[in-house]
Amino acid sequence: MRFVRYGEAGRERPGMLDAEGRLRDLSGVIPDLAGTVLAKLPSIDPKGLPLVEGEPRLGPPVGQVGKFICIGLNYSDHAAETGMSAPDHPIVFMKATSAICGPNDTILLPRGSEKTDWEVELGVVIGKPAKYVSEAEALNHVAGYCVINDVSERSFQIDLSGQWTKGKSCDTFGPIGPWLVTPDEIGDLDALEMTLDVNGERMQNGTSGTMIFTVPQIICHLSQLMSLQPGDVIATGTPPGVGMGMSPQRFLKEGDEVVAEIKGLGQQQLSVARDS
């Protein structure tokens, strides 16, 4: 099933997509796609739900995110393009939840930004609490999967010293969605096609098959370090083709259009503007 949240930012309502891709209102069944609701998403025929007219804004498909956890250098071909060795253990950093926005919202270049980059990533949404879980148990704690663009200001990330979080947490640097897709519809987690275009030019074209650490390995590893709670979001790394890895390097500028897609999980269509 494909779940969404739609409406004005901060006031989104839960919804579902039917077999024809039409939006149906789910607010009469659940209050939101958030918290403990994610442990048991409603298994109902969306055709019985009210049809939503028009084309409302889509928000992030999970609300009240507690932790936004990211895994760095998790694709062997992306590590190679950056000139870095594959890590022995998952590289973990946090992204501020205030960076989260909808899949078709505007990426705002922060003041002083000259090196804002793109990263299409497979997102994992936790549905059930996970602490000290094994790899074999890990996927039982997943509510669903989604597209994430881990937007990154490279100068903030690298030149300002300290943790990567500095370059990852600017407002609008965490587009999530359009859909939260349940595990039964995801197919092979190790064979997801991932692409990202800027102004119609293909920048990233990869597959989850080159992930160094798989989704079960990531969940297992994180759960040894911290408890994972319903609504926590994990961005699992990006394939090659980021602007920082190009020669010469390329970065986002005002007026750019970014399209990020993972087959079966939907497409983001984002415009780029300068923050005021």
Side-chain angles (χ1 to χ4, degrees):
M1 291 180 286
R2 296 174 294 171
F3 292 91
V4 301
R5 296 171 72 247
Y6 69 95
E8 180 184 346
R11 301 180 64 182
E12 293 93 346
R13 298 162 63 94
M16 292 180 69
L17 297 185
D18 62 23
E20 289 74 39
R22 294 175 298 185
L23 178 59
R24 302 278 181 165
D25 180 57
L26 193 58
S27 60
V29 180
I30 57 174
D32 198 1
L33 289 162
T36 56
V37 168
L38 296 166
K40 189 173 178 59
L41 290 168
S43 181
I44 59 177
D45 184 353
K47 289 185 177 179
L49 299 172
L51 187 65
V52 178
E53 300 293 341
E55 297 184 5
R57 168 190 174 270
L58 293 182
V62 56
Q64 303 174 32
V65 175
K67 294 191 288 293
F68 196 167
I69 309 168
C70 300
I71 307 299
L73 292 178
N74 193 36
Y75 282 65
S76 56
D77 38 9
H78 171 55
E81 77 172 342
T82 63
M84 301 183 187
S85 301
D88 295 326
H89 306 282
I91 295 174
V92 179
F93 62 93
M94 308 297 283
K95 198 175 182 86
T97 56
S98 55
I100 294 172
C101 65
N104 304 319
D105 289 346
T106 300
I107 296 172
L108 296 175
L109 303 176
R111 293 180 183 179
S113 168
E114 298 294 339
K115 297 182 179 180
T116 296
D117 207 345
W118 53 83
E119 294 188 16
V120 62
E121 306 203 5
L122 171 64
V124 180
V125 177
I126 298 297
K128 300 177 183 178
K131 186 174 183 179
Y132 302 134
V133 301
S134 67
E135 290 181 29
E137 301 169 321
L139 295 185
N140 295 330
H141 296 262
V142 175
Y145 301 91
C146 56
V147 182
I148 292 176
N149 189 345
D150 177 22
V151 184
S152 309
E153 213 303 322
R154 301 303 188 186
S155 182
F156 295 1
Q157 176 186 352
I158 298 168
D159 300 334
L160 294 186
S161 304
Q163 299 296 316
W164 289 0
T165 301
K166 291 182 179 181
K168 301 283 188 171
S169 295
C170 304
D171 292 351
T172 73
F173 272 26
I176 300 178
W179 314 322
L180 175 65
V181 180
T182 51
D184 59 299
E185 291 197 11
I186 192 65
D188 186 355
L189 273 176
D190 299 323
L192 298 176
E193 298 175 16
M194 308 168 67
T195 60
L196 185 140
D197 298 348
V198 178
N199 300 329
E201 181 180 354
R202 180 62 41 90
M203 299 297 182
Q204 292 187 270
N205 188 6
T207 169
S208 58
T210 64
M211 291 175 72
I212 298 168
F213 303 103
T214 65
V215 172
Q217 289 173 328
I218 290 168
I219 294 173
C220 172
H221 179 75
L222 291 174
S223 76
Q224 313 308 310
L225 309 174
M226 66 189 84
S227 62
L228 301 176
Q229 303 298 328
D232 286 349
V233 174
I234 306 169
T236 58
T238 196
V242 298
M244 181 177 66
M246 296 180 175
S247 183
Q249 294 181 333
R250 292 182 59 176
F251 298 109
L252 295 175
K253 61 184 183 301
E254 189 173 6
D256 283 347
E257 300 290 333
V258 180
V259 176
E261 182 172 8
I262 299 179
K263 190 173 182 180
L265 296 182
Q267 182 184 90
Q268 298 183 352
Q269 298 185 28
L270 301 145
S271 57
V272 179
R274 180 70 61 177
D275 202 356
S276 58

